[in-house]
Structure formats: C-alpha cells, structure tokens
Amino acid sequence: MAYSLHRVILIALLFAIAVPSSLSHTEVEKDLMHYCSHTGDMKIECRQIIQSEFMNRFNNAEIRGVVDIAMNLTITKASEISGKLVRLSDISKDENLIHKYLLCSQNYRVVLLNLDLAHRNLHADYYRNALVQIDNTVAELKSCSHEFTKDLFDPAYIRNMNKEFRLYVEIFKVTLDRLIFENDND
C-alpha cells in the first residue's frame, strides 16, 4: 500500500514538473518520457510508472514546491530503509548478513546526513551545493548496493529497496536540475 501511494506521488511529481497547461496530451507524454530519460538506468521503471498512471494529470505546479516534495519523499524513504536495516541486523542470525545490514545501515545514515545538507542548501538557495549532496548520496547508495551484489543471498530484498530508493534520488535530482535551469534562465 505504501509503495502504491509513493508511486502515485512520484507520478504527481513528474507531471508537476513536466506539464505546462498549454500542452496537448501527446506533447505531455513526450515531455514525461524525456524526463524519464534523465533518470539514468532507472528510465525503464520510470516509463512504466508514467505509462501505468498516465491519466493522473497535474497542472501549473511551482517547481520549487515539486523539489521540496521530491526531497521530502527521498528523505522519508531513506529513513524507512535505514530503520529496516537496523531491525534486520538485530534479528538476523547470520553473521555475514548482520555485517552487510550494519554496513548498509551506516551508508544510509550518511545518506540521511547528505540529504539533510541538501535540504539546508535548498532552503538557503544554494541549489548547486544540494546537487553535490545528491551525488554523495548516490555514492553511498552504490556502496550499500555493492554489499548485496557480491553474493546472491539477499533474503530481505535489500537490492530491490536500493533500486527503488535510487529512483527517488534520481527524481529528486531531475527536479533539482529543472529548478537550477529555471533559476539560471530568470
């Protein structure tokens, strides 16, 4: 249920970024697919979300508000995953898994610190500094992902959680890039 709600909110964000009210349905879809192309290796998942939820349409959104929503969703998802990793390390009996969960939990604590700095930079209108924090977040995420790609044993599906979180980060980054672009052109 929570995943479905987050999907709808992510779709709303993408529509809010991409949909000027004067565009036709076809132009809107084309623009949305263009934004998905900026989500790196997650573009297929992004397009699937867009196509499955396309009839929900959001108009005339303020880009700064969209960035704030994307940032808050990303922080919430990171906090959720971090808490789950701590709980998993507490209940696991496998020493190898405990080690992986603790390492990833540390990565997600650093992710949360990076996202907090990005939040502060956004509210101080230092948008480019916030992008640096997003890049640092991606580096931490890669470190955690690496722990679970070394072997196939992943009973809690941490790889999937990391992949989902990566999409949140990518959408946050795309919205922030759009804000910087609009800010530079004003």
Side-chain angles (χ1 to χ4, degrees):
M1 176 67 176
Y3 178 72
S4 297
L5 177 61
H6 285 162
R7 279 184 59 183
V8 170
I9 293 170
L10 286 171
I11 297 306
L13 284 171
L14 287 170
F15 277 108
I17 296 166
V19 182
S21 59
S22 63
L23 292 180
S24 72
H25 184 76
T26 306
E27 290 170 326
V28 168
E29 187 173 17
K30 184 177 165 187
D31 280 351
L32 289 170
M33 293 307 155
H34 173 74
Y35 285 110
C36 281
S37 72
H38 293 289
T39 59
D41 59 349
M42 301 297 288
K43 58 186 132 198
I44 293 170
E45 289 86 350
C46 182
R47 287 179 179 167
Q48 288 171 342
I49 291 170
I50 295 287
Q51 289 167 347
S52 69
E53 305 284 344
F54 187 71
M55 297 315 291
N56 296 326
R57 186 170 177 190
F58 289 73
N59 290 321
N60 301 324
E62 176 91 23
I63 187 65
R64 177 57 194 261
V66 173
V67 172
D68 284 339
I69 293 168
M71 175 187 57
N72 289 332
L73 286 172
T74 305
I75 291 169
T76 300
K77 181 53 80 176
S79 182
E80 176 185 311
I81 293 171
S82 178
K84 183 168 186 164
L85 287 165
V86 169
R87 286 189 301 280
L88 287 169
S89 70
D90 288 342
I91 63 171
S92 181
K93 305 288 188 236
D94 183 319
E95 289 299 319
N96 187 36
L97 279 176
I98 292 171
H99 179 71
K100 289 179 181 184
Y101 293 146
L102 288 174
L103 286 174
C104 278
S105 177
Q106 289 172 346
N107 291 124
Y108 272 92
R109 280 195 292 271
V110 174
V111 160
L112 286 165
L113 290 173
N114 287 331
L115 292 172
D116 181 58
L117 286 172
H119 181 261
R120 291 177 193 201
N121 284 318
L122 279 174
H123 288 285
D125 295 335
Y126 298 134
Y127 305 136
R128 292 188 192 283
N129 290 350
L131 273 178
V132 171
Q133 300 309 318
I134 293 173
D135 291 340
N136 292 344
T137 295
V138 170
E140 290 296 326
L141 182 58
K142 284 180 183 176
S143 293
C144 177
S145 295
H146 181 70
E147 287 300 317
F148 286 92
T149 55
K150 288 191 262 185
D151 74 46
L152 297 177
F153 189 57
D154 182 12
Y157 304 104
I158 302 302
R159 277 188 293 267
N160 293 345
M161 283 190 277
N162 285 336
K163 187 176 180 182
E164 181 183 356
F165 180 67
R166 176 75 183 255
L167 182 58
Y168 281 78
V169 172
E170 290 293 327
I171 290 173
F172 180 26
K173 186 172 184 172
V174 168
T175 60
L176 184 55
D177 283 340
R178 173 78 180 260
L179 176 63
I180 290 169
F181 176 78
E182 286 187 7
N183 197 45
D184 287 350
N185 289 329
D186 285 339

